[in-house]
Amino acid sequence: MKKITVIGAGFAGLTIALKLAQKGFKVHLHEKSPRLGGLLGTEHGEYGMAERAANSMILTDRSEKLFKEIGLDLAFPLESSKKRFIFRGFPKAMPLNPFEILKVAFTVIPRVLFAKATLKPQAGETLKDWGLRRLGKAATTYLLGPAMQGIYANEAQDLSASLIISPLFKKDREKFRGTISGPQGMQDIVDYLHATLQQLDVEIYLESDLDVSTVEGPVVIATSASAAANILKTRAPELSALLTRVNMSSLISATVFFDKAQTKFKGFGCLIPRGLKLRTFGVLMPPYIFAGRNKTYNETWIMGGKNNQDLLNYSDKDLLDFISKERKTIFKRQDTILDAKIFRWDRALPLYDLELEKIQAELSEKPAPTDIFLHGNYLSGIGLSKILERSERLCEQIASQHGS
Ligand SMILES: Cc1cc2nc3c(=O)[nH]c(=O)nc-3n(C[C@H](O)[C@H](O)[C@H](O)COP(=O)(O)OP(=O)(O)OC[C@H]3O[C@@H](n4cnc5c(N)ncnc54)[C@H](O)[C@@H]3O)c2cc1C
């Protein structure tokens, strides 16, 4: 049995460890913190549950297979989650007016039908510039910007169109079939992955500070880009220097429990466009997304990103005052806050900006040393379904290079 070391036990580390163990590798999984899951996890309290970061994952054939492999039931979203809102004066299912919709239709439909290639972004183009060039101002401000901000947790002007739009043109792109979670939240995914890894005899080391230059055999570094840069400083200094250039952004996820339910806008949540003097990225409505999340009415407020890093320094009280103020503008409500679970994620996510576009190009020209494999949310997408896809592809690559 060939030994392989995986460093980092977030979703990337847990899923690559699973795939490698299934292939017959003897996997050693090292995690720096005292718990598995990284950004994934759920906390349960007096008023109900709160996700630490990710709220759900996209349902694809791969994610459905993963749940089956680890023996976890899929929690499907409620009918009410089908509605999604974008704020423009108030939360709207369609934020564009009829004139703006017609304008987008006349610009985009002929291109989709007859000249799809002209929709492809140019290298070095920001998402905002691509949107303005191809969709127009209203659709960029009120549809594209908020939608991508909801995934990449940054603003269209700071994102790379190439990294975000180009994958949508891939022919072998996975079909998105909705969203899923575990019945008791995202912690279920961590717990069931953990149990399956134990059944497959994966050796798990918590609170491990492994020196990678002492490890023999192939190593998968499944951490954030900034942690990977640190880990590789002595073993692969050039690669480490490249990864140091990845810009990281910090985020806050605050689940707030209220004394009264907001019932006027029932849906997955509401995204907030930029330029409206509001700083929140979006508000999720867990009681309207999955069953069993309505013990006490709650909303999950997502804030931060490159241009709002100062919010990370707010005290809990200041943050809740800030949320109450923005909530008054968005939902026109002033309910009493009963409790809140606030998670501050310092330098948690990579910024999918023009610098990352260059770094990914350099990585493909100058690959890592043959016994080092990089994994994580800065390589092929931030979402869990993309990370899972990379786990499968990377496992095939490792098996073909190193056997098992
Ligand atoms: C607020 C928020 C909401 C999100 N919502 C969604 C969502 O709804 N759906 C979705 O698909 N995605 C969502 N995401 C993104 C998704 O959660 C992340 O991209 C994903 O969980 C990252 O997984 P990872 O394993 O790459 O990294 P991480 O979860 O960061 O895991 C890396 C692990 O490596 C460990 N580590 C670091 N250094 C070392 C070291 N030296 N030695 C050993 N271990 C080390 C860390 O402790 C950590 O456990 C969200 C992210 C945030 C922040």
Side-chain angles (χ1 to χ4, degrees):
M1 236 185 187
K2 181 133 192 180
K3 181 191 153 195
I4 186 154
T5 306
V6 177
I7 301 183
F11 186 71
L14 291 170
T15 50
I16 186 82
L18 173 72
K19 299 289 152 194
L20 289 165
Q22 286 171 333
K23 269 256 180 255
F25 283 93
K26 175 71 198 153
V27 183
H28 288 215
L29 176 60
H30 291 261
E31 166 56 45
K32 193 176 182 176
S33 77
R35 67 173 286 277
L36 301 174
L39 290 169
L40 290 192
T42 314
E43 290 201 4
H44 296 265
E46 188 189 343
Y47 294 96
M49 58 189 265
E51 295 294 357
R52 290 160 63 88
N55 197 272
S56 57
M57 113 175 242
I58 286 174
L59 172 62
T60 60
D61 289 349
R62 266 197 190 90
S63 53
E64 188 173 9
K65 187 170 139 243
L66 173 76
F67 274 53
K68 216 176 200 174
E69 283 171 348
I70 62 176
L72 176 60
D73 290 339
L74 292 102
F76 290 104
L78 300 165
E79 195 59 26
S80 50
S81 75
K82 285 193 177 147
K83 259 202 171 165
R84 291 171 190 246
F85 301 98
I86 294 181
F87 181 79
R88 193 174 182 182
F90 58 90
K92 293 181 171 177
M94 171 37 83
L96 302 188
N97 63 40
F99 172 73
E100 289 163 344
I101 295 171
L102 277 179
K103 202 172 158 206
V104 178
F106 280 119
T107 330
V108 179
I109 293 172
R111 286 184 193 277
V112 172
L113 293 178
F114 308 113
K116 214 170 171 183
T118 62
L119 287 172
K120 282 196 179 162
Q122 293 158 3
E125 185 175 33
T126 67
L127 186 67
K128 183 174 180 184
D129 287 344
W130 177 83
L132 292 175
R133 190 163 65 78
R134 285 297 168 237
L135 308 177
K137 192 167 179 215
T140 303
T141 310
Y142 296 109
L143 286 177
L144 178 73
M148 294 306 155
Q149 180 186 296
I151 300 171
Y152 292 91
N154 271 291
E155 302 177 14
Q157 80 221 18
D158 298 315
L159 296 171
S160 150
S162 207
L163 292 182
I164 289 163
I165 303 293
S166 296
L168 304 177
F169 286 87
K170 279 194 181 155
K171 289 215 170 74
D172 61 349
R173 195 162 63 88
E174 277 193 298
K175 283 214 172 61
F176 294 172
R177 294 159 40 209
T179 46
I180 44 167
S181 175
Q184 301 302 317
M186 300 301 274
Q187 182 69 42
D188 278 353
I189 303 180
V190 178
D191 294 342
Y192 279 69
L193 274 165
H194 184 191
T196 312
L197 294 183
Q198 283 176 319
Q199 281 161 17
L200 290 166
D201 289 329
V202 171
E203 287 186 27
I204 300 175
Y205 303 90
L206 291 174
E207 297 183 78
S208 157
D209 199 7
L210 187 70
D211 176 357
V212 78
S213 51
T214 62
V215 178
E216 278 175 27
V219 184
V220 181
I221 317 276
T223 65
S224 67
S226 54
N230 237 346
I231 291 168
L232 290 167
K233 242 184 214 158
T234 40
R235 178 138 174 202
E238 256 189 72
L239 184 56
S240 163
L242 186 59
L243 296 179
T244 311
R245 283 172 34 205
V246 176
N247 293 311
M248 305 292 294
S249 58
S250 306
L251 274 186
I252 303 168
S253 170
T255 297
V256 188
F257 298 87
F258 294 97
D259 68 334
K260 288 191 201 78
Q262 177 287 114
T263 53
K264 191 168 176 190
F265 307 103
K266 289 185 176 179
F268 197 94
C270 182
L271 291 160
I272 320 296
R274 298 300 83 182
L276 302 177
K277 295 198 179 137
L278 291 164
R279 297 175 73 194
T280 302
F281 278 147
V283 186
L284 293 163
M285 303 167 180
Y288 302 135
I289 305 178
F290 290 111
R293 317 286 161 104
N294 58 351
K295 190 172 173 193
T296 316
Y297 176 78
N298 61 92
E299 292 161 5
T300 301
W301 286 65
I302 309 283
M303 298 151 284
K306 183 182 171 192
N307 305 318
N308 292 292
Q309 296 291 286
D310 60 309
L311 292 177
L312 270 288
N313 302 322
Y314 279 30
S315 66
D316 285 5
K317 183 189 173 302
D318 289 349
L319 205 57
L320 294 178
D321 286 347
F322 165 83
I323 288 173
S324 295
K325 198 165 150 245
E326 298 233 324
R327 192 170 188 263
K328 201 174 158 198
T329 307
I330 298 167
F331 297 122
K332 320 279 184 280
R333 292 186 69 103
Q334 276 178 296
D335 302 308
T336 302
I337 293 177
L338 301 174
D339 192 17
K341 296 268 177 241
I342 300 172
F343 302 96
R344 294 175 180 80
W345 296 107
D346 184 32
R347 293 168 56 74
L349 291 182
L351 180 53
Y352 268 64
D353 60 359
L354 299 180
E355 183 64 3
L356 187 61
E357 189 181 321
K358 285 190 214 148
I359 294 166
Q360 287 194 1
E362 285 178 47
L363 273 175
S364 59
E365 279 163 23
K366 255 193 285 168
T370 52
D371 53 352
I372 291 178
F373 297 89
L374 297 179
H375 193 9
N377 57 10
Y378 59 101
L379 293 161
S380 48
I382 255 173
L384 300 169
S385 63
K386 290 284 160 203
I387 293 175
L388 179 61
E389 186 177 341
R390 186 172 175 85
S391 285
E392 283 198 3
R393 292 190 200 279
L394 193 57
C395 175
E396 292 304 323
Q397 187 193 334
I398 295 170
S400 73
Q401 277 175 238
H402 292 273
S404 55

